[in-house]
Amino acid sequence: MTVIGLIGLGRVGFRALKILINRKELFIKIFEKDPFKKSLVSEYENIEFVETRSFEDIERHMNDIDLFMTALPSRDAFKIIMRLAEKCVDIVDVSYIYEDPYVLEKIFMKCGRTYIPDAGFAPGYSNLLAGYAQDLFKDIERLEIYVGGIPRENIPPIGYVVTWSAEDLLEEYLRPARVIFDQKIVYKDPLEHIGEIEIPGIGVFQWFYSDGLRTLLKNIKARNMFEATLRWRGHLEKMRILKDLGLLSREKIVIDNNQIDMIRILASVFEKNLKIKTDDMAILFIRAVSRDERVYEETVVMYGDHEDPATTRFTAIVFASSLELLIDKRSEIDPGIMPLEKLYRYKDYYEERVYRYQPKKDLVKINRRIL
């Protein structure tokens, strides 16, 4: 039996767990600080719940664990990942960390272990398609990645609902976006430029630069490359107002002698007021143009509802599938840092699971063309 450690039982972690518990050869130890979440998994036999207040709680229960999954807020994740790396274990991570995972490459190479970062929807599945595009064309003139998890309709007050960590969501509007223009890295303020795109068969959306290239900056050779996040028309103007008011900021405010980050206040407001019961969709559209003007386009759309949001489901499927890949193809996967663009040869493996792990038919559509 293979023992897995899952750190974090939030929206994504719990959904990934529900996929993996069907593999009877797995025993999963869950490390979670909220003791009330134990009731969520009490019905399962191949589960152990460990209430976790510090890394020492993890250490006491990890002697038989060789493979960890981490699903934590970005502000906490990398500290845990660094300490796990020192224990010479394999890691699959879905957190939107700020740090460069390659700073840990020497540790993983020395240990002969593998670290799959950004194992989610985007970054994640988007990286897989970017790696596939590079394998197709070798010399990419332009790579454009458009991603978004949004309501199916432009609903008030801001055309958006919260389906994952609100704090990490707000990071997308705040963190400078790294893009490639003429083979040079350029930093963009996410809300400085608002673009517009029509995605065939889906609709017309606004977009803004987001910092989703991350490991692609190292592993994909393109003259021009960017990731953009999709939103309904009007949403980004409202986010600009929040930024102008100082709410979309890491500055601290003093309330009753307590210092609180402004962004955490706004995240709490979003968590409280934007958990609206509505259907949603996760959209991924990628376009690659080669130096000789060949074109590869792929559109992936997943549909969800308020009980099973598409973005959360898509992220959990890629997260769980990455864990399964490390188990099923262990002898084929090299040690070191292995983001999904380096695993492009397993595109069919991931795509089959994107279809398989839907709760019912017709919730995902994939279209591609190569010209």
Side-chain angles (χ1 to χ4, degrees):
M1 179 169 285
T2 301
V3 183
I4 306 298
L6 170 60
I7 305 177
L9 198 63
R11 295 181 181 92
V12 171
F14 179 63
R15 283 169 172 80
L17 173 69
K18 291 180 71 175
I19 292 172
L20 294 172
I21 55 174
N22 294 312
R23 294 188 59 143
K24 300 305 180 184
E25 80 275 20
L26 299 183
F27 185 87
I28 303 171
K29 291 186 179 182
I30 300 167
F31 299 90
E32 167 60 47
K33 68 179 181 180
D34 184 354
F36 294 102
K37 289 185 178 179
K38 184 176 182 178
S39 61
L40 296 174
V41 298
S42 58
E43 64 181 284
Y44 303 121
E45 294 182 357
N46 54 335
I47 296 291
E48 178 184 350
F49 186 94
V50 180
E51 185 178 343
T52 307
R53 294 296 177 184
S54 67
F55 188 79
E56 286 66 34
D57 293 328
I58 298 173
E59 281 186 305
R60 283 194 289 271
H61 293 83
M62 67 179 295
N63 288 340
D64 55 350
I65 301 175
D66 291 322
L67 206 170
F68 274 89
M69 306 172 71
T70 50
L72 297 166
S74 59
R75 68 177 184 274
D76 301 324
F78 196 68
K79 292 176 288 187
I80 299 296
I81 291 168
M82 283 195 299
R83 297 192 67 176
L84 288 175
E86 293 168 353
K87 301 294 183 180
C88 286
V89 295
D90 293 313
I91 302 173
V92 178
D93 177 54
V94 75
S95 311
Y96 188 54
I97 62 171
Y98 179 79
E99 296 83 358
D100 179 3
Y102 278 95
V103 301
L104 300 175
E105 183 161 40
K106 288 184 179 179
I107 297 176
F108 281 95
M109 292 298 293
K110 182 179 179 180
C111 291
R113 295 292 188 171
T114 302
Y115 170 25
I116 302 180
D118 292 333
F121 163 46
Y125 201 82
S126 55
N127 298 55
L128 189 74
L129 300 189
Y132 176 72
Q134 180 165 259
D135 185 58
L136 278 177
F137 293 154
K138 309 305 180 188
D139 293 321
I140 298 176
E141 176 65 26
R142 188 171 70 256
L143 179 63
E144 304 169 4
I145 302 169
Y146 299 90
V147 298
I150 57 176
R152 292 197 212 180
E153 297 180 357
N154 192 355
I155 61 173
I158 65 169
Y160 193 81
V161 295
V162 170
T163 59
W164 57 299
S165 166
E167 194 170 334
D168 283 353
L169 162 71
L170 293 174
E171 277 284 333
E172 292 189 341
Y173 302 90
L174 194 59
R175 188 180 296 178
R178 292 164 291 178
V179 302
I180 299 289
F181 289 152
D182 197 20
Q183 296 182 317
K184 297 178 181 178
I185 297 178
V186 178
Y187 287 81
K188 290 286 188 179
D189 179 339
L191 293 176
E192 180 181 353
H193 174 78
I194 297 176
E196 192 165 282
I197 184 174
E198 180 176 3
I199 298 179
I202 309 298
V204 178
F205 304 95
Q206 288 184 332
W207 61 262
F208 65 100
Y209 292 119
S210 46
D211 193 44
L213 293 183
R214 300 156 67 76
T215 57
L216 297 181
L217 295 168
K218 177 181 177 69
N219 297 321
I220 300 296
K221 306 305 178 186
R223 180 175 293 276
N224 300 283
M225 176 169 59
F226 65 83
E227 185 208 72
T229 294
L230 300 170
R231 293 291 183 258
W232 287 113
R233 282 172 168 167
H235 170 84
L236 295 174
E237 289 83 357
K238 294 169 183 175
M239 296 303 293
R240 278 177 169 174
I241 291 172
L242 294 174
K243 184 176 181 180
D244 291 342
L245 288 170
L247 289 168
L248 193 55
S249 165
R250 294 190 185 90
E251 292 184 7
K252 297 183 183 295
I253 188 173
V254 178
I255 300 177
D256 294 333
N257 296 320
N258 294 312
Q259 285 194 338
I260 305 174
D261 293 338
M262 296 291 278
I263 193 173
R264 298 189 74 175
I265 294 174
L266 185 58
S268 296
V269 172
F270 272 36
E271 288 277 2
K272 180 178 184 294
N273 296 318
L274 294 183
K275 286 185 177 179
I276 302 166
K277 293 183 177 181
T278 188
D279 295 343
D280 75 329
M281 56 185 175
I283 305 167
L284 169 57
F285 175 65
I286 183 170
R287 179 192 291 127
V289 180
S290 69
R291 299 277 172 86
D292 58 358
E293 298 186 342
R294 295 179 65 202
V295 177
Y296 156 63
E297 292 183 347
E298 185 153 345
T299 306
V300 185
V301 185
M302 189 177 294
Y303 297 99
D305 56 38
H306 69 277
E307 293 183 345
D308 185 21
T311 305
T312 308
R313 188 193 325 131
F314 204 149
T315 301
I317 288 172
V318 178
F319 188 33
S321 299
S322 298
L323 182 283
E324 291 187 292
L325 183 71
L326 265 185
I327 294 172
D328 297 340
K329 308 291 184 179
R330 174 69 273 182
S331 62
E332 300 175 11
I333 298 175
D334 294 333
I337 313 302
M338 294 297 292
L340 268 67
E341 66 267 22
K342 296 179 72 172
L343 299 171
Y344 68 88
R345 64 187 182 278
Y346 298 107
K347 182 176 182 291
D348 291 344
Y349 182 97
Y350 279 93
E351 185 174 308
E352 187 274 330
R353 280 160 172 74
V354 165
Y355 281 112
R356 184 202 302 181
Y357 293 140
Q358 301 302 318
K360 57 183 179 181
K361 292 183 179 180
D362 302 322
L363 290 182
V364 63
K365 296 179 181 179
I366 299 177
N367 294 294
R368 72 179 60 88
R369 66 173 189 157
I370 302 173
L371 304 176

